[in-house]
C-alpha cells in the first residue's frame, strides 16, 4: 500500500470516527440535560471532547512513525501504521465517551487543547527558522575552514576558479591561487540593484497611496487599486523579459544620446524593473496605513486652518511613518532576494563599480550558479553559496531589527 493511499484511508477513517464520536458525545449530553441533569458545558463541547481524544492519539502515532521512517530509525509497513493508528484512535474515542459526565469540564479541556495546538504551531515556525539557520551555518563553517573569513568579507575579487576543469577531474591544470572568494563585488551589485529599485518604488508607491487614500473618488479608487495590484501577480520571469527586451535597449539609447557607454547587461535596467515590481507592496501597505489614521487628526488639522496638502505633509505622513517604514523595509527584503530579473537582464559577471550602466551581479544569482554546477557538494565553490546565504541572512536580520526599532520609536511618538 502506497503512502498516499494510506494517508487517504487514515484521514477518511479519522473523519468517520470523529463524526461518530461527535454525535455520540453530544447525544449523551442532550439526553442527560433532557432528564433534568445540569451539565457544566454545552452539548457541542461534549461532542468535541471524544473527537479530540480520538484524533490526537491517532494522528500523533502516525506522525511519529513518519518521522522515524524519514530519519531511518525504523521503517514499519504502511498497513501496520494504519491499523495501529486506527486502534489508538478507537481506544481514545472509547475513553473520551466514557469520561462524559455532568461534572466534566469539557469546555476547559477543549480550551487547553486549542492553546497547546496553537503553541505547537508557533513552535514549529520557530524550530523551522532555527533549523534553516543551523543548516546554513554548519555548511558555511565548512567553507570558512578553507577560506579566510576576512578574505571573504573584504575581498574585492570573486573568481571561484575554473569549474569545468575541476568538475572533469583536471583540477591540477588550474593554477594555484586562481580561486578568489571576495564577496564585496556581489554585495555591491546586490545593494546597487536594491537601491535603484527602492528609489523607483518608494516615491511612486507612496505618492500613489496618498492619491488613492486622500484624493481619489471611490470610483477612481475602485479602478486604480486593482489595476495597480496586478503588478504583484506578474511572474518575475516576465519582468525579466521586460527588462531585457524593452527597458535595456531604451537605457542604452538614452545613454548613447548623452554620449555615455551603457552595457546591454547593465544593472540599472533590472533595478528599475524590480522597483516597478515592488510598487504594489509599498502602495498597498501605505494605503492601508494612511486609511487607518483616525479622522479626528484630519479634522483637527482643518480646524486649525491647514490646507489639504499641509495636513497630509504635517499630520498624516508623520502619523503613518511607522507603516511606511515597514513597507519600505519589506520592499528592501523583496529586492535583496530577487534573482530572475538580474539573471536575465544584468548577467553574472561580478564587477565592483559605481557605474550603474555597467554589468554587475548579485548574491542570489551567485548562490544559484554555485549550487547548480557540476562540482562536488563539498567543494569550496559549492560551499560558498552557504557562506553568501549566511551573510545575506545576517543583513536581512539587521534590517528587520532596524525596522522594529524605528516602528516602535515613531509609534510611541505619535500615539
Amino acid at each position: 500500500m502506497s503512502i498516499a493511499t494510506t494517508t487517504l484511508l487514515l484521514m477518511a477513517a479519522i473523519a468517520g470516527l470523529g463524526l461518530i464520536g461527535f454525535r455520540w458525545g453530544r447525544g449523551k449530553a442532550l439526553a442527560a440535560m433532557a432528564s433534568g441533569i445540569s451539565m457544566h458545558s454545552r452539548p457541542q463541547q461534549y461532542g468535541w471532547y471524544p473527537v479530540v481524544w480520538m484524533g490526537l492519539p491517532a494522528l500523533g502515532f502516525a506522525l511519529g512513525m513518519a518521522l522515524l521512517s524519514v530519519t531511518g530509525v525504523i521503517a514499519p509497513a504502511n498497513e501496520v501504521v494504519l491499523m495501529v493508528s486506527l486502534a489508538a484512535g478507537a481506544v481514545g474515542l472509547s475513553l473520551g465517551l466514557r469520561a462524559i459526565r455532568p461534572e466534566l469540564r469539557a469546555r476547559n479541556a477543549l480550551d487547553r487543547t486549542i492553546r497547546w495546538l496553537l503553541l505547537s504551531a508557533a513552535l514549529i515556525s520557530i524550530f523551522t527558522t532555527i533549523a534553516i539557520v543551523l543548516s546554513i551555518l554548519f555548511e558555511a563553517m565548512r567553507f570558512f575552514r578553507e577560506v579566510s573569513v576576512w578574505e571573504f568579507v573584504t575581498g574585492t575579487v570573486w573568481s571561484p576558479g575554473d569549474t569545468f576543469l575541476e568538475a572533469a577531474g583536471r583540477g591540477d591544470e588550474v593554477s594555484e591561487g586562481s580561486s578568489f572568494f571576495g564577496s564585496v563585488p556581489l554585495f555591491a551589485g546586490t545593494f546597487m540593484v536594491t537601491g535603484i529599485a527602492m528609489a523607483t518604488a518608494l516615491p511612486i508607491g507612496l505618492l500613489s497611496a496618498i492619491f488613492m487614500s486622500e484624493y481619489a473618488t471611490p470610483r477612481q479608487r475602485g479602478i486604480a487599486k486593482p489595476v495597480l495590484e496586478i503588478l504583484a501577480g506578474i511572474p518575475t520571469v516576465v519582468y525579466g523579459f521586460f527588462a531585457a527586451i524593452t527597458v535595456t535597449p531604451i537605457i542604452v539609447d538614452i545613454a548613447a544620446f548623452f554620449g555615455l557607454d551603457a552595457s546591454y547587461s547593465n544593472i540599472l535596467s533590472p533595478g528599475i524593473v524590480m522597483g516597478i515590481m515592488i510598487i504594489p507592496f509599498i502602495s498597498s501597505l501605505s494605503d492601508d496605513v494612511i486609511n487607518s489614521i483616525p479622522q479626528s487628526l484630519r479634522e483637527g488639522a482643518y480646524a486649525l486652518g491647514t490646507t489639504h496638502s499641509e495636513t497630509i505633509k504635517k499630520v498624516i505622513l508623520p502619523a503613518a511613518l511607522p507603516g511606511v517604514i515597514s513597507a519600505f523595509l519589506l520592499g528592501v527584503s523583496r529586492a535583496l532576494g530577487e534573482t530572475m530579473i538580474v539573471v536575465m537582464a544584468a548577467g553574472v559577471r561580478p564587477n565592483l563599480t559605481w557605474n550603474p550602466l555597467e554589468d554587475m551581479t548579485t548574491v542570489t544569482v551567485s548562490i544559484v550558479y554555485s549550487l547548480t554546477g557540476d562540482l562536488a557538494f563539498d567543494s569550496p565553490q559549492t560551499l560558498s553559496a552557504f557562506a553568501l546565504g549566511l551573510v545575506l541572512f545576517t543583513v536581512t536580520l539587521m534590517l528587520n531589527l532596524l525596522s522594529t526599532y524605528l516602528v516602535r520609536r515613531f509609534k510611541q511618538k505619535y500615539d
Side-chain angles (χ1 to χ4, degrees):
M1 186 182 299
S2 65
I3 296 178
T5 304
T6 304
T7 304
L8 290 176
L9 290 176
L10 179 62
M11 292 295 103
I14 289 178
L17 288 176
L19 181 61
I20 294 173
F22 178 80
R23 291 183 175 276
W24 199 339
R26 187 181 63 174
K28 289 185 65 176
L30 290 174
M33 294 174 67
S35 62
I37 300 175
S38 177
M39 306 293 287
H40 175 272
S41 305
R42 295 182 178 180
Q44 290 82 359
Q45 294 166 339
Y46 286 105
W48 283 109
Y49 186 81
V51 174
V52 171
W53 270 82
M54 178 274 304
L56 290 181
L59 293 177
F61 180 81
L63 291 176
M65 289 297 101
L67 291 176
L68 293 177
S69 178
V70 169
T71 56
V73 177
I74 187 174
N78 296 332
E79 294 82 358
V80 174
V81 175
L82 177 62
M83 297 303 297
V84 175
S85 298
L86 294 180
V91 172
L93 178 62
S94 175
L95 294 175
L97 290 173
R98 291 180 59 184
I100 296 178
R101 297 184 180 88
E103 63 274 10
L104 175 65
R105 299 177 179 270
R107 179 178 66 247
N108 299 347
L110 293 176
D111 287 342
R112 287 194 300 269
T113 302
I114 293 174
R115 187 183 302 112
W116 281 105
L117 288 176
L118 295 177
L119 177 61
S120 301
L123 291 177
I124 288 174
S125 302
I126 295 173
F127 289 149
T128 302
T129 303
I130 295 175
I132 292 173
V133 174
L134 293 179
S135 63
I136 297 175
L137 181 61
F138 290 150
E139 299 299 331
M141 290 173 61
R142 295 175 58 188
F143 171 77
F144 289 127
R145 293 192 187 103
E146 303 183 28
V147 179
S148 169
V149 177
W150 181 255
E151 174 191 349
F152 177 78
V153 175
T154 63
T156 57
V157 178
W158 181 268
S159 178
D162 196 330
T163 58
F164 297 102
L165 291 177
E166 294 187 7
R170 297 161 58 190
D172 54 340
E173 299 183 19
V174 182
S175 61
E176 184 178 356
S178 62
S179 298
F180 299 94
F181 293 94
S183 62
V184 173
L186 304 181
F187 284 97
T190 300
F191 294 141
M192 175 76 77
V193 73
T194 301
I196 296 171
M198 298 315 300
T200 303
L202 182 61
I204 298 176
L206 182 58
L207 293 176
S208 61
I210 293 173
F211 169 77
M212 287 189 294
S213 60
E214 297 296 326
Y215 290 100
T217 63
R219 177 182 175 84
Q220 292 173 336
R221 177 183 173 85
I223 296 174
K225 191 173 178 65
V227 172
L228 185 62
E229 291 180 349
I230 289 177
L231 293 174
I234 298 177
T236 56
V237 67
V238 177
Y239 280 111
F241 285 136
F242 177 66
I245 297 174
T246 304
V247 179
T248 298
I250 294 175
I251 292 177
V252 172
D253 292 341
I254 294 175
F257 177 79
F258 289 100
L260 301 175
D261 185 18
S263 171
Y264 272 92
S265 54
N266 61 80
I267 199 68
L268 181 61
S269 171
I272 293 174
V273 175
M274 196 181 300
I276 296 173
M277 179 186 67
I278 296 173
I279 287 174
F281 295 95
I282 296 180
S283 176
S284 296
L285 291 175
S286 300
D287 180 40
D288 294 338
V289 171
I290 293 174
N291 283 325
S292 66
I293 295 175
Q295 185 64 25
S296 58
L297 292 179
R298 297 178 175 85
E299 295 174 352
Y302 296 148
L304 294 175
T306 60
T307 63
H308 195 179
S309 59
E310 290 174 340
T311 301
I312 294 173
K313 183 172 63 174
K314 299 293 185 180
V315 177
I316 295 176
L317 286 183
L321 192 58
V324 174
I325 293 174
S326 298
F328 173 79
L329 292 176
L330 176 63
V332 171
S333 300
R334 182 72 174 84
L336 287 174
E338 179 53 42
T339 305
M340 186 58 65
I341 299 176
V342 182
V343 170
M344 300 181 67
V348 296
R349 184 170 77 97
N351 182 24
L352 184 58
T353 179
W354 290 99
N355 187 2
L357 298 178
E358 295 184 11
D359 56 335
M360 301 179 72
T361 192
T362 63
V363 171
T364 53
V365 174
S366 299
I367 291 174
V368 170
Y369 274 83
S370 297
L371 292 177
T372 55
D374 296 328
L375 294 173
F377 186 81
D378 58 351
S379 65
Q381 288 83 356
T382 303
L383 294 176
S384 65
F386 296 96
L388 292 172
L390 179 62
V391 178
L392 188 62
F393 175 83
T394 304
V395 172
T396 306
L397 177 62
M398 293 174 62
L399 286 174
N400 290 336
L401 293 176
L402 178 63
S403 170
T404 303
Y405 168 74
L406 293 176
V407 168
R408 288 180 179 177
R409 180 178 179 182
F410 287 105
K411 185 177 181 181
Q412 292 174 357
K413 183 177 180 180
Y414 291 100
D415 272 347

